[in-house]
Amino acid sequence: MAIKIYIDQGHNPGGINGGAIAGDVEEQYINYNVGIILADIMRADYRFEVRTSRTSPDQILGYNSSSSLAARVNEANAWPADYFISIHCNANTNPAINGAEVYVYQLYTQAEYLARHVLNRIVQIVGIRDNGVRTNPSLYVLRATQMTSILVELGYMTNPGDLQLLLGDPGNFAYAIYLGCLDYFGLVPLS
Ligand SMILES: [Zn+2]
């Protein structure tokens, strides 16, 4: 039985659940790219079965923020997925703030262990600052999913160094998330 992974590329193109914007870069664009690359990597590995929340770059989920989030969670719950990975980028009014962090509903859970493995690999492969695994029980996609779920903040779009990493090689982030999942499951890459 393949492990069923639901990859949620956070936000939408356009105004509905639009996400952060830094200069002329939309968060949703980076999230979409990293998620699609991650899905391609995982689909090439028979041990995983993958679905993505957005299947094309111009797809819009929901008609407002809450229905947009619910569409993703409902699909993952109905499948049902074994794991839910939501991909986001951060923003801050202070451009010096940088780094990756991974959010979970609560600590001392499978989600925390998965988050730690994914974050370790992002830090190692991408070379971004480690901001740790954090809890945020108010995040809907963590609260309403019925499976182990994590929300990955890849980096800060408002930090020039992080933005360069995010735009320059989204595949690095995707491969790091894949390796983090393998570590969590005690698997090694296919040779
Ligand atoms: Zn976001």
Side-chain angles (χ1 to χ4, degrees):
M1 283 288 278
I3 301 161
K4 291 153 76 178
I5 309 278
Y6 190 91
I7 300 168
D8 170 35
Q9 307 107 315
H11 307 288
N12 280 324
I16 298 167
N17 185 16
I21 295 176
D24 57 356
V25 182
E26 294 181 32
E27 179 196 346
Q28 65 83 18
Y29 166 82
I30 298 171
N31 300 344
Y32 180 82
N33 279 340
V34 172
I36 284 294
I37 298 167
L38 174 59
D40 285 344
I41 293 169
M42 287 190 146
R43 284 185 180 125
D45 185 329
Y46 68 91
R47 296 167 296 188
F48 296 101
E49 191 180 341
V50 177
R51 291 188 190 178
T52 60
S53 60
R54 289 195 277 143
T55 55
S56 71
D58 52 1
Q59 184 180 9
I60 294 170
L61 298 172
Y63 50 86
N64 59 24
S65 275
S66 58
S67 66
S68 180
L69 296 175
R72 301 156 203 258
V73 168
N74 292 344
E75 189 179 48
N77 286 344
W79 183 9
D82 298 315
Y83 294 86
F84 185 100
I85 301 174
S86 192
I87 297 173
H88 287 256
C89 301
N90 236 324
N92 195 287
T93 51
N94 179 354
I97 302 288
N98 65 350
E101 56 229 46
V102 182
Y103 285 93
V104 298
Y105 184 76
Q106 70 184 96
L107 298 178
Y108 309 107
T109 57
Q110 290 302 310
E112 184 194 352
Y113 305 135
L114 175 61
R116 191 65 255 174
H117 284 295
V118 166
L119 184 55
N120 285 350
R121 285 296 196 168
I122 290 174
V123 169
Q124 177 203 14
I125 303 275
V126 176
I128 201 165
R129 180 187 160 91
D130 185 344
N131 288 336
V133 174
R134 303 174 176 185
T135 55
N136 189 340
S138 70
L139 291 173
Y140 180 81
V141 297
L142 300 181
R143 179 162 47 87
T145 40
Q146 291 161 357
M147 68 293 304
T148 296
S149 59
I150 63 173
L151 187 146
V152 184
E153 294 279 5
L154 301 170
Y156 281 79
M157 298 169 59
T158 42
N159 175 264
D162 279 12
L163 186 61
Q164 197 171 7
L165 294 171
L166 292 164
L167 292 176
D169 202 348
N172 259 348
F173 286 91
Y175 190 62
I177 296 170
Y178 169 67
L179 290 181
C181 289
L182 292 184
D183 292 343
Y184 168 82
F185 292 115
L187 301 172
V188 294
L190 298 175
S191 52

